[in-house]
Amino acid sequence: MLAELAGSEAEADRVAAFGAMLGLNVPALAVVAEAGLSDPVPSVRAGAAGALATIDPARALAPLIAVLADEQPVVREGAAAGLALLGAAALGPVVDSLAVPDRRDGALTALELLPIDGHEDAIHAFAAAMVDGCVEHYRLGVGVQDDADPGLGLLRDSLLSSSEEQAILGLRAASLLGGRTELSVAIENLSVTDPTQRANALEVIESVAMHDVVSPLLTIWDGTPQRIDRDTLLQLLQDEPDEWLRACVALVAQPSPDARPSGGSMTRTMSTLSPMERVLFLRDVPLFAALPPQDLQPIAAIATEHAYEDGDTIAVQGEPGEEMHIIVSGEVAVSMRDAAGDERVVAVRSQGEAVGEMAVITHEPRVASLLARGSVRVLTIAKPQFEAILRERPDTAIGVIHVLSRRLASASG
């Protein structure tokens, strides 16, 4: 019955099934739980991770280690909790996962639940390496000179984002070795932009027992940045191990910066642009303005391009909202038909603006039609993918709130 429930089309049924499997030592269910690790719904994957650890501990180790790389924090937390149930048998593989970039966050979450006896040196070395990487990426990021080149701007912001990520990973690792309560405060304050709170983080870092590891962080916000020219920057990053930063370097190294689009100009069709060039466009879209550059890549990957000519209907009032659109070029008229059948244009949206997102968010029929004014190109994101973006990236949800608030203020004014 549990196996059948785990295969139900209803998400709640699958979550309940794996929740009921927790604590059951029934090896026959192991294949069901392992299959659940590939479920499209994060909460189901998280439940399957916990269930597998109790159903068949010997079989669970390798799959749970792999799940540490899941994109969703809730799934990584589920895998970490499952690995904690495996105890000492999981410790070595979890520590080894610190060397795999996309498993680091999940591995640290697991290590926070496991005894680390015998692996202190490896964790110490990892913390030091993260701090060193943080300092270097920060130095290069603040040294970028040409803000007019959108590719260099992307590289700069990516370096600074990577620097902050490595700082947090390094502090989390250091906290496993001592000063966990204090460093948790520093981690929280490093994740905000307020200068006072960042200063508080530096004070905490200066006082912790792992001073030899984390003290280099004290230097990155002090002093005047040393400017680095484009060619020197590219040379310094030519052997960069981070895949995203290498992609940014390749974009900057393109022969003609004028050929690269920004959010303000995109004359070629989106289908002829690389994923990195799509990212450059999305950086200027208000919905996604708060996201780190690395988080724009999966959004660029799931969007599809559509072209419309003058007068074409993009969406119809009253139909279900199955997708939202980001205007790449041209203008889109938002029109409403009243009870008498009269239609009027209530707004005109242009490049960089989103249209149709409210019907997706509310799950209500569209309250307006969308019509192309002249030639229009849009990037379209389907409802399931857009909902996943809002769920997985709270900064995008905040961006939606800001956009809708501005529209409400404009309408009421």
Side-chain angles (χ1 to χ4, degrees), residues 295-333:
D295 285 354
L296 294 175
Q297 187 180 34
I299 297 174
I302 64 173
T304 57
E305 182 199 6
H306 297 277
Y308 299 92
E309 296 303 323
D310 186 44
D312 285 352
T313 299
I314 301 172
V316 177
Q317 180 177 342
E319 71 178 6
E322 297 298 333
E323 53 193 18
M324 56 91 66
H325 312 278
I326 302 164
I327 303 171
V328 175
S329 62
E331 292 184 336
V332 172

Side-chain angles (χ1 to χ4, degrees), residues 363-386:
H363 295 189
E364 298 290 336
R366 295 192 185 278
V367 297
S369 296
L370 304 175
L371 304 173
R373 281 193 168 184
S375 296
V376 173
R377 289 191 178 279
V378 298
L379 283 179
T380 299
I381 301 177
K383 177 179 176 179
Q385 284 79 15
F386 186 57

Side-chain angles (χ1 to χ4, degrees), residues 44-70:
V44 177
R45 298 200 300 274
L52 182 59
T54 59
I55 290 170
D56 192 343
R59 179 173 180 161
L61 181 57
L64 292 184
I65 289 293
V67 173
L68 291 177
D70 197 282

Side-chain angles (χ1 to χ4, degrees), residues 248-266:
C248 292
V249 168
L251 179 67
V252 174
Q254 288 180 5
S256 172
D258 294 336
R260 295 195 298 271
S262 68
S265 62
M266 184 165 289

Side-chain angles (χ1 to χ4, degrees), residues 40 134 152 287 337 369:
C134 160
L152 270 177
L287 280 184
R337 187 182 300 276
S369 296

Side-chain angles (χ1 to χ4, degrees), residues 2-18 21 31-49 52 63 67 70-72 74-76 388 391-392:
L2 286 175
E4 183 176 347
L5 198 62
S8 168
E9 292 185 1
E11 173 185 333
D13 289 349
R14 302 198 302 278
V15 171
F18 290 120
M21 292 182 197
V31 65
V32 178
E34 191 167 350
L37 298 177
S38 301
D39 194 278
V41 179
S43 58
V44 177
R45 298 200 300 274
L52 182 59
V67 173
D70 197 282
E71 290 185 354
Q72 297 305 308
V74 66
V75 183
R76 297 196 297 270
R391 182 172 58 248
E392 299 159 11

